[in-house]
Amino acid sequence: MVARRFQVVHNDSDFDLHYDTDDGFEVFQFQLYSLTSIPPHQQKIYGAKQDTPVVTDSDLIAISDKLRLVSVNDSEPEPAPSTADLLKSDEELARRLQAEEEALMFQQYVASQNSSHEFENRVLPYVSQVSMYEDATRQEAARKSVPVEELEEKALVSLAKEGKFKSSKTEQDHTFLLQLLFWFKQSFRWVNSPSCHDCGNVTVGQGMIAPLPLEIRYGASRVELYGCTVCPKKTRFPRYNDPIKLVETREGRCGEWANCFTLYCRAFGYESRLILDFTDHVWTECFSQFLGRWMHLDPCEGIYDKPLLYEKGWGKKLNYVVAIAKDGVYDVTKRYTRKWHEVLSRRTMLTEPSLSSVLSNITKQSRRGFSSQLLAIIEARDIEENKELERSLHAEDDESLSLPGRRSGNEEWRKSRLEFGSDKLCSSACPVRFCIDEHVTRIYNAFCPVLYQFVGEELTKSEAVDVLRITKGILLDLRNTPYKTRRTSIDSVLNNPKIKKLLPSFDDLLVALSVEKKVNTDGRVEICLVGDPVATSLALPVALDALDDLIYNLNKCENYGKDMFLLPLLKLNRIHSGSAIASSEELPFGIITSAFDGTRISKWEEPNGAKGCWIVYRTFDNKKFELVAYELMSANDAPERDPMDWILEGSSDEGISWQVLDKQTSQFFEDRFQRRTYTISSASFPCNVFRFRFLAVSDIQSTSRLQIGSIDLYAKSI
């Protein structure tokens, strides 16, 4: 261990920072964040005297004791580049321009041997295809197959988890589109080879066969034939092009997936395009009013707004990427590459002027009959998009973002296409995220009067468990009703005198769920909404999971009675509403706040955390708490990713100095969703920042990942 002291200059302020070299550079960055409120991914650190960039531990060694910190959002200019840097930059620009010039010259030579007909023949069938998306019958069929209210609820809950309980329609539309993408990913089936239609066993390809009239009716000009490996039966796999048929079959490969999903997008009113990649892939773009631009959506992968997925993640060598919509066709290749000079060298089908002419002619045909007002709107958007495409070519890559290889299709097929890549979509520049979890604390606290009432009424342990199970049944009935008008009758359970007497002890739980007990004019007693339905949607899964935990712990309780009012049964004074940051996170579902939302269905996942990673939690308004215990819950799967060794530290000075609160080694989670409670045995002290340093997972040889289902911190008082 080497302790060092740095003087950090930021804007007009000086800060003293004490740094333990064993902690690592990421912890050093968080210490800067604690002092200056600049998150690690926005920090630019320089040696104060030499203006030398500091990006690793080794860079710090060369610095004496003074540093200068700049936020990427500050207007303060970066240090002037050196002469060598300018020369290097000029040389790189010159090389790129030379490469583009050579590619254009080569393109003119090769393209002169061809004609524009080949390009048109690739694009024109899709122009006819996208016209089907405007058909009212097809749109209605698509809408009827979607659980609209369920997706609306999920969209509103996802916004609420960001603190947006009163979101705008633009935000809601954007989030609904993402939920539509996730739903489609789960409901559509990828077909490598179809199962035998007779016995359900594996089949192998036996070539192509002529389509039947009914198959031709739905655009299946190609039909693949497969033979069963067990029985003598043959299975046909028509490659349907009519999306109304795909709404019914819900299976296929990337062509069917993108075709059908683009129909769904149009059916819900989103301006949509089918994107044709000439290197053999298809996906969707939608115009997001929230983002103010076109957004990439790949239904096969369930990934959105990651246009560099194919070049950076899959390793594709792109040439032409064409957007096809009802109002024209567009060359959008520049959105999907940062290597334009390389892409240009592969665009040999026709010259760039010829390409522009072909696209312009098709677009003019598509726009025939449009009103002058509509044309003005579309043409203005075209101009803005062209500017955006040019800007994207020169945008800096987010080096912290790791894009995955292809995940749709079997492994052998992906490897044969050289699209395998890595298996993770993650960001090592995890932003500071705010925990919207006060409802979790309120629900945990609400079970306190219930447990005390059990003892006061002298219920046996089995009777208490029965009451909790009945309560869970009521909440399940409530959850299964429409979220905007939730209500469920409790008349049947009120026939039980004990439950009727216990009912007032559940009042705090009803308040935490934004529901109330109501007696109707006909005398029926119901539980119904009393506040924001989204608040109830957010809280119900927490309450149901908490009930499962309570039932489990009550069954295991050996000291049922007055001595049981401790963790893990009674979860009082849970710290809430803080902010969290981590060494890395999986996008979009394994983000750090998933560990603090009180539900089993979510988790924090650190793609590179098996050998070490960290979480830092800062309390709301820097309020100090004396920690007495904490709980960790294992996630839904992959026990090899469970944390095994870790250190929990606390800081009373916003992260400048740290003290060990607890240290655990060789911990083992026997079950999925298992909560383990740890009490702070050392002398605790009031802290406003807590840091988990996870050192190893349970099986470090078989995984690179760490995952945690839930983290709960309990204070002496709040």
Side-chain angles (χ1 to χ4, degrees):
M1 179 186 80
V2 179
R4 296 195 61 188
R5 178 177 175 274
F6 290 98
Q7 181 183 3
V8 181
V9 178
H10 173 60
N11 291 338
D12 297 325
S13 302
D14 290 356
F15 302 91
D16 285 331
L17 188 152
H18 297 271
Y19 171 56
D20 180 347
T21 56
D22 287 348
D23 285 346
F25 190 69
E26 288 177 330
V27 173
F28 176 78
Q29 287 182 291
F30 181 78
Q31 289 178 277
L32 287 174
Y33 161 59
S34 298
L35 290 169
T36 65
S37 298
I38 300 175
H41 67 287
Q42 293 182 6
Q43 294 173 3
K44 290 192 175 183
I45 308 164
Y46 302 95
K49 293 181 179 177
Q50 308 97 324
D51 266 341
T52 306
V54 177
V55 293
T56 65
D57 270 323
S58 58
D59 295 333
L60 281 175
I61 295 172
I63 304 297
S64 57
D65 60 354
K66 290 188 176 181
L67 296 169
R68 186 167 66 87
L69 176 65
V70 179
S71 168
V72 296
N73 293 329
D74 285 347
S75 57
E76 179 180 343
E78 294 185 29
S82 66
T83 303
D85 289 336
L86 288 171
L87 286 172
K88 184 178 179 181
S89 176
D90 288 345
E91 288 171 2
E92 177 63 24
L93 178 60
R95 278 196 297 270
R96 286 175 176 265
L97 291 173
Q98 180 67 23
E100 288 187 21
E101 187 176 339
E102 290 174 356
L104 287 169
M105 289 176 63
F106 178 69
Q107 183 188 84
Q108 285 186 325
Y109 171 74
V110 176
S112 66
Q113 313 301 316
N114 303 318
S115 77
S116 61
H117 296 307
E118 182 184 356
F119 184 90
E120 287 183 277
N121 290 339
R122 290 286 299 274
V123 172
L124 286 175
Y126 291 94
V127 174
S128 301
Q129 187 170 310
V130 298
S131 65
M132 290 190 281
Y133 306 151
E134 306 308 309
D135 177 64
T137 302
R138 290 180 172 87
Q139 289 189 5
E140 181 64 18
R143 283 191 294 269
K144 283 183 176 179
S145 68
V146 177
V148 176
E149 188 169 82
E150 177 187 329
L151 299 192
E152 282 180 353
E153 182 183 8
K154 286 182 175 180
L156 292 171
V157 167
S158 70
L159 287 167
K161 285 184 176 182
E162 298 175 5
K164 299 176 181 177
F165 285 90
K166 300 297 180 183
S167 52
S168 66
K169 185 179 185 305
T170 300
E171 288 175 310
Q172 291 174 21
D173 288 345
H174 177 81
T175 312
F176 180 86
L177 176 60
L178 302 186
Q179 293 300 327
L180 185 66
L181 174 72
F182 303 147
W183 167 82
F184 187 88
K185 169 68 174 170
Q186 295 300 318
S187 63
F188 217 76
R189 188 173 70 90
W190 181 273
V191 177
N192 293 307
S193 58
S195 300
C196 176
H197 287 175
D198 195 62
C199 68
N201 281 296
V202 176
T203 64
V204 293
Q206 295 185 347
M208 307 295 287
I209 193 170
L212 300 173
L214 188 59
E215 294 165 340
I216 293 173
R217 178 182 172 187
Y218 293 107
S221 58
R222 298 178 298 136
V223 178
E224 299 170 5
L225 187 66
Y226 292 83
C228 183
T229 56
V230 176
C231 75
K233 297 290 186 178
K234 307 293 182 186
T235 295
R236 302 169 67 88
F237 179 44
R239 303 299 304 275
Y240 292 116
N241 278 320
D242 191 330
I244 198 169
K245 186 66 176 178
L246 297 175
V247 168
E248 174 192 330
T249 64
R250 297 196 185 195
E251 65 177 17
R253 302 191 192 114
C254 62
E256 289 90 347
W257 281 64
N259 185 6
C260 192
F261 180 68
T262 310
L263 169 65
Y264 275 110
C265 294
R266 286 297 300 128
F268 285 96
Y270 297 98
E271 289 297 319
S272 310
R273 300 163 160 179
L274 189 66
I275 307 301
L276 172 63
D277 162 24
F278 277 35
T279 60
D280 195 23
H281 191 46
V282 196
W283 60 89
T284 305
E285 280 185 359
C286 288
F287 191 84
S288 167
Q289 296 291 345
F290 177 66
L291 298 176
R293 58 174 171 79
W294 289 96
M295 180 172 69
H296 150 257
L297 302 111
D298 192 319
C300 301
E301 307 298 296
I303 292 177
Y304 65 93
D305 207 22
K306 297 291 181 291
L308 297 183
L309 172 69
Y310 312 107
E311 183 176 82
K312 188 176 177 181
W314 296 18
K316 267 181 169 289
K317 307 296 184 185
L318 299 172
N319 49 27
Y320 298 97
V321 181
V322 179
I324 302 133
K326 64 176 182 178
D327 55 22
V329 291
Y330 310 83
D331 179 11
V332 294
T333 313
K334 291 178 180 178
R335 178 173 292 127
Y336 295 90
T337 182
R338 291 295 180 270
K339 302 175 181 178
W340 176 243
H341 58 292
E342 294 181 17
V343 170
L344 201 55
S345 70
R346 296 188 290 267
R347 288 162 68 99
T348 58
M349 193 174 290
L350 69 174
T351 64
E352 295 302 301
S354 296
L355 172 63
S356 297
S357 177
V358 170
L359 296 178
S360 177
N361 289 336
I362 299 174
T363 298
K364 285 178 182 177
Q365 286 293 109
S366 301
R367 295 179 181 179
R368 281 192 309 173
F370 283 20
S371 68
S372 57
Q373 185 178 8
L374 179 58
L375 281 173
I377 294 171
I378 294 173
E379 288 167 1
R381 194 160 70 185
D382 289 349
I383 292 170
E384 286 303 311
E385 181 178 20
N386 287 332
K387 292 178 182 177
E388 182 223 326
L389 290 174
E390 290 300 324
R391 286 194 301 268
S392 69
L393 280 182
H394 307 291
E396 288 187 15
D397 278 357
D398 182 357
E399 296 298 335
S400 70
L401 186 67
S402 174
L403 294 167
R406 187 169 194 156
R407 293 184 281 193
S408 53
N410 63 34
E411 184 175 326
E412 182 182 352
W413 180 74
R414 285 179 284 151
K415 284 183 175 178
S416 71
R417 294 167 60 94
L418 304 178
E419 296 174 350
F420 199 65
S422 71
D423 67 341
K424 57 197 176 191
L425 171 57
C426 67
S427 176
S428 59
C430 172
V432 176
R433 298 189 187 275
F434 294 94
C435 300
I436 310 300
D437 62 338
E438 184 179 358
H439 62 286
V440 180
T441 299
R442 292 174 66 194
I443 288 167
Y444 286 3
N445 290 344
F447 285 109
C448 179
V450 175
L451 291 175
Y452 273 105
Q453 189 78 351
F454 287 169
V455 175
E457 295 296 326
E458 299 183 346
L459 267 67
T460 66
K461 185 164 76 171
S462 62
E463 287 175 328
V465 169
D466 285 343
V467 170
L468 293 176
R469 284 177 174 154
I470 290 169
T471 304
K472 180 182 174 183
I474 293 171
L475 295 189
L476 285 171
D477 290 341
L478 191 66
R479 187 189 67 179
N480 293 332
T481 58
Y483 83 95
K484 293 178 182 177
T485 56
R486 278 203 166 97
R487 62 178 59 241
T488 187
S489 172
I490 58 171
D491 282 337
S492 59
V493 301
L494 292 179
N495 293 329
N496 184 323
K498 285 188 177 180
I499 292 180
K500 192 171 184 177
K501 194 171 185 180
L502 289 167
L503 198 58
S505 68
F506 286 91
D507 285 349
D508 287 354
L509 180 60
L510 297 182
V511 171
L513 293 172
S514 297
V515 296
E516 66 177 354
K517 180 185 64 179
K518 184 178 181 181
V519 181
N520 291 330
T521 53
D522 58 4
R524 290 186 302 111
V525 182
E526 289 184 323
I527 301 294
C528 57
L529 289 173
V530 70
D532 183 357
V534 178
T536 304
S537 296
L538 186 65
L540 267 174
V542 178
L544 287 166
D545 288 349
L547 275 166
D548 281 338
D549 286 331
L550 192 55
I551 292 167
Y552 173 81
N553 289 322
L554 203 54
N555 276 321
K556 286 184 63 178
C557 182
E558 296 178 356
N559 299 314
Y560 178 76
K562 293 182 179 179
D563 297 331
M564 71 179 183
F565 297 109
L566 300 168
L567 281 166
L569 267 173
L570 200 58
K571 303 178 188 293
L572 290 178
N573 300 327
R574 176 185 177 275
I575 300 172
H576 63 83
S577 303
S579 61
I581 190 170
S583 49
S584 184
E585 60 185 3
E586 183 89 357
L587 302 171
F589 300 116
I591 62 175
I592 180 57
T593 45
S594 296
F596 298 93
D597 67 5
T599 67
R600 293 180 172 183
I601 59 172
S602 62
K603 61 185 176 184
W604 170 56
E605 191 165 356
E606 219 285 16
N608 304 299
K611 295 181 181 180
C613 58
W614 53 267
I615 289 177
V616 177
Y617 180 93
R618 176 184 285 197
T619 62
F620 177 73
D621 207 22
N622 289 321
K623 184 178 179 181
K624 293 181 180 179
F625 297 98
E626 188 175 338
L627 200 69
V628 296
Y630 65 96
E631 287 186 319
L632 299 184
M633 185 183 75
S634 58
N636 63 317
D637 62 358
E640 68 275 9
R641 302 176 187 170
D642 291 340
M644 182 177 69
D645 304 334
W646 64 84
I647 298 170
L648 172 60
E649 298 166 307
S651 172
S652 60
D653 52 15
E654 301 184 32
I656 297 173
S657 59
W658 298 90
Q659 181 175 319
V660 173
L661 300 176
D662 189 46
K663 183 176 182 179
Q664 297 292 334
T665 59
S666 303
Q667 297 300 295
F668 179 67
F669 292 81
E670 297 173 354
D671 300 305
R672 299 301 83 207
F673 307 123
Q674 179 187 0
R675 287 182 179 271
R676 298 200 61 177
T677 305
Y678 300 89
T679 56
I680 305 300
S681 55
S682 62
S684 187
F685 63 101
C687 300
N688 50 24
V689 189
F690 300 95
R691 178 170 74 193
F692 283 93
R693 296 168 64 187
F694 297 102
L695 308 176
V697 295
S698 62
D699 187 354
I700 205 167
Q701 304 301 322
S702 64
T703 183
S704 65
R705 296 170 177 263
L706 176 141
Q707 63 181 27
I708 295 175
S710 187
I711 299 174
D712 294 294
L713 304 171
Y714 299 99
K716 192 172 184 178
S717 63
I718 56 174

